[in-house]
Amino acid sequence: MIACFVTGTDTGVGKTLSSCALLHALARHHPRVVGMKPVASGAEPDGQGAWANEDTLALRAASTITVSPSLDNPILLPDPVSPHIAAERARMPVTLAPILQAYQTLREQADAIVVEGAGGWQAPLSEDLRIADLAVALQLPVVLVVGLRLGCLNHALLSADAIRASGLTLAGWICSRVDPTMLEPEANLAYLRQSIGAPLLADIAWQAQPDARTVRVQLPKEWQ
Ligand SMILES: Nc1ncnc2c1ncn2[C@@H]1O[C@H](COP(=O)(O)OP(=O)(O)OP(=O)(O)O)[C@@H](O)[C@H]1O
Ligand SMILES: C[C@H](N)[C@H](N)CCCCCC(=O)O
Ligand SMILES: [Mg+2]
């Protein structure tokens, strides 16, 4: 079983796009690959009479198996705000137990699982729970998605340090070129390549219509 936890330098940096690209790459080596969004905030009609989160729908489209929504998205909160606020507004407490249970069941059904966090590494899920705590509870290697824009060097280095300080492995990072007007993108990328201390798994060009299938991903050897 291969599994990883995808986090980012911020919300809106390309975690979902990167998670989908990882799923497509893993599907070239493993038959049953599935995405998981343990805690999603923001729900919309799924076209089939139910509600779903757009990240969950994107992960499902990139997965090779279909699983119950209670497994790939055990906690769905209606409002598109920080999960701890969405949970308070919905009066739905976020706890680790149902997530860990869903993940264990998913492991029996899949060969590879890509778990997408919410927001960045310290995004709060409740009063006393953060994304980092969830990743630690799952004991997964982490992939850090860096949204390449001014300010990302600080965010990337803080995130990489915090991930390692939590005792987890930073398995690699992905550069997501979210700002086509950024000055000196190559110099920023070069700095990150030499300072993050983990392999660059993908360099995602800015695309007007992002398509995860076109992203070239270099998977770590042990995931192939
Ligand atoms: N390389 C790129 N080129 C152009 N647009 C991009 C790129 N990467 C991401 N985007 C766009 O930026 C937005 C945010 O990306 P995405 O939804 O993957 O972020 P996220 O990190 O998953 O956010 P969240 O914290 O909400 O889960 C999306 O509209 C996405 O299409
Ligand atoms: C609703 C949004 N798209 C994300 N899923 C949640 C982002 C949480 C950000 C928390 C923070 O302010 O750091
Ligand atoms: Mg996302």
Side-chain angles (χ1 to χ4, degrees):
M1 244 293 301
I2 311 287
C4 67
F5 190 96
V6 177
T7 190
T9 45
D10 201 351
T11 186
V13 293
K15 290 188 305 294
T16 303
L17 185 62
S18 299
S19 299
C20 292
L22 284 166
L23 285 165
H24 291 310
L26 286 162
R28 290 197 265 279
H29 302 273
H30 309 279
R32 300 174 304 168
V33 307
V34 70
M36 179 186 194
K37 180 86 182 178
V39 182
S41 52
E44 55 192 59
D46 71 351
Q48 288 162 6
W51 291 80
N53 170 262
E54 64 174 359
D55 290 11
T56 312
L57 294 174
L59 295 172
R60 282 179 191 158
S63 299
T64 62
I65 57 170
T66 303
V67 298
S68 152
S70 64
L71 297 184
D72 69 4
N73 178 210
I75 300 182
L76 174 59
L77 305 163
D79 300 329
V81 295
S82 179
H84 78 292
I85 299 171
E88 232 176 65
R89 285 166 68 144
R91 296 185 200 284
M92 282 172 62
V94 177
T95 57
L96 285 178
I99 300 174
L100 300 182
Q101 201 170 16
Y103 176 72
Q104 287 311 326
T105 308
L106 259 194
R107 282 178 65 95
E108 290 157 19
Q109 301 184 11
D111 306 304
I113 306 177
V114 175
V115 182
E116 183 191 340
W121 187 244
Q122 294 286 1
L125 299 175
S126 75
E127 198 63 5
D128 53 10
L129 199 63
R130 295 184 180 172
I131 277 293
D133 302 313
L134 171 57
V136 168
L138 292 168
Q139 279 295 296
L140 292 175
V142 178
V143 173
L144 174 65
V145 178
V146 177
L148 202 72
R149 61 185 174 210
L150 193 60
C152 74
L153 303 182
N154 172 54
H155 292 155
L157 297 178
L158 282 173
S159 303
D161 283 353
I163 291 163
R164 290 199 184 92
S166 74
L168 296 176
T169 302
L170 181 58
W173 67 286
I174 290 177
C175 170
S176 173
R177 301 191 184 225
V178 290
D179 178 6
T181 68
M182 185 192 192
L183 298 176
E184 298 287 356
E186 305 311 327
N188 280 269
L189 175 61
Y191 183 83
L192 287 170
R193 280 187 98 131
Q194 66 170 36
S195 51
I196 283 191
L200 177 64
L201 306 183
D203 177 1
I204 310 183
W206 184 85
Q207 305 164 55
Q209 306 254 282
D211 178 358
R213 283 188 183 278
T214 65
V215 175
R216 288 229 320 261
V217 178
Q218 179 63 55
L219 291 175
K221 281 246 157 11
E222 60 275 21
W223 295 1
Q224 299 176 14

